[in-house]
Amino acid sequence: MSKPVRTRFAPSPTGFLHVGGIRTALFAYLVAKQADGTFILRLEDTDKKREVEGSAEHLIESLKILGINYDEGPDKPGDLGPYRQSERLETYQKWAKKLIESGRAYADPYTPEEVQVFREDAQKNKLPFLYRNHRPENPVAWDGSKPLRFKSDPKGYKWNDAVMGDLSTGPEVIDDFILIKSDGYPTYNFAHIVDDAEMNISHVIRGQEFISSTPNYLNLYEALNLDRPILATMPHILNETGNKKLGKRDGAKDVLDYIKDGYLPVALVSFIATLGWNDGTEQEIFTRDELIEKFSLDRVGRSGAHFDTRRLNWVNGHFIRQMQIDGLYNASEKYWPDEAKSSDESYKKQVLGLIQERLKFLSEIPELTRFFFKDLPIDLSLIESNKQLKKIDKPELADLLSQSVKQLEQSDFTSADIQTKLNSLLESTNQKPAVLFSIIRVATTWSPASPALADTLAVLGKDKAIERLNKSIAALSQ
Ligand code: GLU
């Protein structure tokens, strides 16, 4: 029987979670869930200098909001915890002793200055600097005041990475690395190997930055007599325009900021899953259940995937359009402009119904809806910047609006009847829709964008629409 699937996400609490981190977590979650396995959160908090206060809570909140739920973690103890590395120091000591006893670890005797001299010597001789060329002949017993270093066994490796395929390296990349620092904390290189073994991790799914160290990890698995887990390396996420790794400067945002901007968790999950993965078809949007069913590591691309905000907006818009109006209304609660505070639910739902089709993310709501709640100031630049309207004199525009008022006063103000009146106005004024409808649209909203004209007028209501038309006529007649 094959080993139960146990995967982990192992962030260091040094900041927020951006899409790259979330993607690693999501893939590890999907691999576990599709095999009825266990997904674990382990906090790798052994680098006290880099730790950022509040970051662990922030990471946990990000995973929870996206529904990347772990079965075991710091706040969800299982049998193989604790799940914070800083609470596991005794375990690392125990495994370090095994290595000392088998002659595979030694106290590093050198000061940083001495190491610098070795480094410069190697440079002078055009040789790569390797610690293992300077192993002390008679190492002192390790008392914790010095770093503990791994005594490696240089050799070549061939191994398979579930994403990157068959890889190989020569002995020159194997070196003696630090296992436990002089502050008593283990390095990532040592701690993750110990923890993955103790926590029965079946798949190590992580970012590309660790691939060059992998041969050293393989060396350590052997020294500890451990079976190596399945290794899967995620390629970088690249910025939108170039081929550089997506970084803070390219707007690599905290995933919680996307939530604040009104991106839906389902959309973010679907979008992030398809950053570098597809199911072999043209399908671009996936529900969580589909992802659990269809995801596979061997369909993750080996080269970097480009982050694409337009695609994210498109995916989010798709999920917004699929929502029932009640669901969308509940999701929209925090996003209404101040002017909408006193409006009732049914009016706001009508407004939402009009913009649902084009809404990309919920924080666009104020900009797209403000004129439904408030008379916006008359802004003649909207006419001057309109290709069709700028060609026509203001009195003539005012006249078109006066004729519109006359027609619309006779409407029952259902959207269908408004459309009929607008059509007969086209005939009676002998104007193009691009002129007539644009001036009515501008004069009733004074907003650069609005939904379909008849629908917009119907939701605004007869009194408001006629009042705004009359005010606009006055402004254009001055
Ligand atoms: N603590 C490492 C990081 O945050 C985790 C790498 C791993 O998943 O093993 O990058």
Side-chain angles (χ1 to χ4, degrees):
M1 228 179 67
S2 60
K3 239 173 112 180
V5 171
R6 289 174 58 85
T7 64
R8 85 307 192 266
F9 178 50
S12 302
T14 53
F16 58 74
L17 265 185
H18 53 77
V19 286
I22 289 289
R23 185 183 63 168
T24 304
L26 177 63
F27 287 0
Y29 163 88
L30 294 173
V31 167
K33 293 296 120 178
Q34 67 185 191
D36 284 323
T38 307
F39 174 57
I40 294 154
L41 174 67
R42 180 172 76 219
L43 289 176
E44 303 210 320
D45 59 344
T46 56
D47 190 344
K48 290 295 160 191
K49 285 194 292 295
R50 288 180 55 225
E51 197 159 324
V52 172
E53 220 194 296
S55 156
E57 293 71 18
H58 201 90
L59 299 173
I60 288 175
E61 194 190 339
S62 306
L63 293 175
K64 290 196 172 157
I65 238 165
L66 295 178
I68 305 176
N69 296 324
Y70 42 90
D71 306 294
E72 298 171 20
D75 55 347
K76 226 176 175 199
D79 297 335
L80 300 174
Y83 297 87
R84 257 177 223 276
Q85 288 187 327
S86 59
E87 294 167 15
R88 302 176 58 80
L89 300 185
E90 277 173 26
T91 304
Y92 308 123
Q93 291 286 333
K94 186 182 84 191
W95 286 72
K97 293 219 167 82
K98 284 192 206 179
L99 286 169
I100 296 171
E101 276 158 23
S102 61
R104 297 301 301 274
Y106 60 93
D108 177 342
Y110 302 115
T111 61
E113 293 73 27
E114 286 167 318
V115 174
Q116 189 53 25
V117 173
F118 296 150
R119 206 181 283 278
E120 283 161 14
D121 278 352
Q123 243 166 21
K124 256 184 247 151
N125 297 318
K126 299 207 166 33
L127 289 169
F129 168 67
L130 289 165
Y131 277 95
R132 60 176 155 86
N133 292 338
H134 304 279
R135 279 178 195 156
E137 265 162 37
N138 296 304
V140 292
W142 183 60
D143 63 4
S145 64
K146 290 280 189 183
L148 182 69
R149 212 172 258 282
F150 177 49
K151 187 172 170 194
S152 62
D153 175 18
K155 53 162 99 160
Y157 281 101
K158 282 190 183 10
W159 75 102
N160 181 268
D161 183 289
V163 171
M164 298 296 173
D166 290 331
L167 302 171
S168 60
T169 47
E172 67 284 354
V173 299
I174 303 291
D175 197 9
D176 293 1
F177 57 88
I178 294 180
L179 301 165
I180 299 200
K181 297 172 281 180
S182 54
D183 65 2
Y185 284 97
T187 56
Y188 165 76
N189 294 341
F190 182 46
H192 85 276
I193 300 245
V194 167
D195 290 342
D196 288 342
E198 291 248 341
M199 295 180 181
N200 292 331
I201 298 300
S202 59
H203 296 64
V204 168
I205 299 171
R206 66 182 155 203
Q208 198 173 330
E209 55 275 36
F210 299 100
I211 202 158
S212 59
S213 308
T214 300
N216 280 302
Y217 304 152
L218 299 180
N219 210 249
L220 183 55
Y221 287 127
E222 282 175 11
L224 289 168
N225 269 325
L226 293 172
D227 289 336
R228 65 170 88 134
I230 293 172
L231 302 174
T233 299
M234 298 301 123
H236 289 316
I237 294 179
L238 306 176
N239 63 13
E240 307 218 16
T241 46
N243 276 326
K244 284 223 292 299
K245 186 180 162 195
L246 183 74
K248 285 194 190 152
R249 265 191 237 149
D250 314 297
K253 276 208 293 198
D254 180 348
V255 74
L256 288 183
D257 285 339
Y258 283 106
I259 297 286
K260 276 194 209 114
D261 286 347
Y263 287 88
L264 308 174
V266 278
L268 284 167
V269 165
S270 177
F271 170 75
I272 291 171
T274 52
L275 275 174
W277 172 83
N278 65 63
D279 71 343
T281 72
E282 298 286 297
Q283 187 171 341
E284 282 200 67
I285 290 186
F286 296 86
T287 62
R288 176 181 310 262
D289 286 346
E290 285 176 317
L291 289 173
I292 292 175
E293 189 198 316
K294 296 181 171 174
F295 181 77
S296 72
L297 286 169
D298 60 11
R299 291 211 56 85
V300 175
R302 291 180 187 171
S303 52
H306 279 277
F307 188 85
D308 180 352
T309 306
R310 281 179 46 207
R311 196 168 75 82
L312 171 60
N313 287 343
W314 173 75
V315 172
N316 203 53
H318 167 89
F319 280 98
I320 287 178
R321 283 192 292 283
Q322 289 209 320
M323 288 174 101
Q324 300 291 330
I325 203 72
D326 287 337
L328 182 56
Y329 179 73
N330 292 338
S332 71
E333 202 192 325
K334 293 197 299 273
Y335 297 94
W336 290 100
D338 288 344
E339 296 84 356
K341 291 267 147 62
S342 57
S343 293
D344 61 25
E345 182 174 328
S346 80
Y347 184 67
K348 284 201 253 182
K349 281 185 180 164
Q350 287 180 58
V351 170
L352 268 186
L354 290 190
I355 61 162
Q356 183 169 12
E357 195 57 31
R358 73 152 71 164
L359 193 58
K360 296 191 292 296
F361 45 92
L362 302 178
S363 58
E364 286 185 317
I365 289 178
E367 181 196 323
L368 294 178
T369 68
R370 193 168 272 115
F371 70 88
F372 281 106
F373 304 99
K374 174 190 173 166
D375 293 346
L376 298 186
I378 288 181
D379 172 7
L380 296 179
S381 73
L382 291 174
I383 290 179
E384 276 135 33
S385 62
N386 180 305
K387 268 206 242 119
Q388 300 289 336
L389 298 182
K390 70 176 177 201
K391 292 191 242 162
I392 302 179
D393 294 345
K394 290 204 184 107
E396 199 179 326
L397 291 174
D399 182 53
L400 283 175
L401 293 178
S402 301
Q403 296 188 55
S404 310
V405 170
K406 279 196 205 110
Q407 278 282 343
L408 291 171
E409 266 171 345
Q410 283 158 48
S411 173
D412 66 6
F413 251 68
T414 57
S415 160
D417 188 57
I418 294 173
Q419 193 58 56
T420 311
K421 300 287 185 289
L422 292 175
N423 291 342
S424 55
L425 267 168
L426 276 181
E427 283 184 34
S428 60
T429 58
N430 205 12
Q431 263 301 353
K432 293 186 278 194
V435 171
L436 182 70
F437 296 170
S438 296
I439 189 60
I440 300 177
R441 184 190 287 279
V442 168
T444 49
T445 64
W446 292 105
S447 173
S450 54
L453 181 56
D455 295 340
T456 301
L457 294 178
V459 169
L460 274 175
K462 189 165 183 172
D463 292 350
K464 193 39 97 189
I466 304 273
E467 178 197 316
R468 288 192 187 165
L469 285 169
N470 283 327
K471 273 199 209 158
S472 303
I473 293 167
L476 288 169
S477 309
Q478 270 169 20

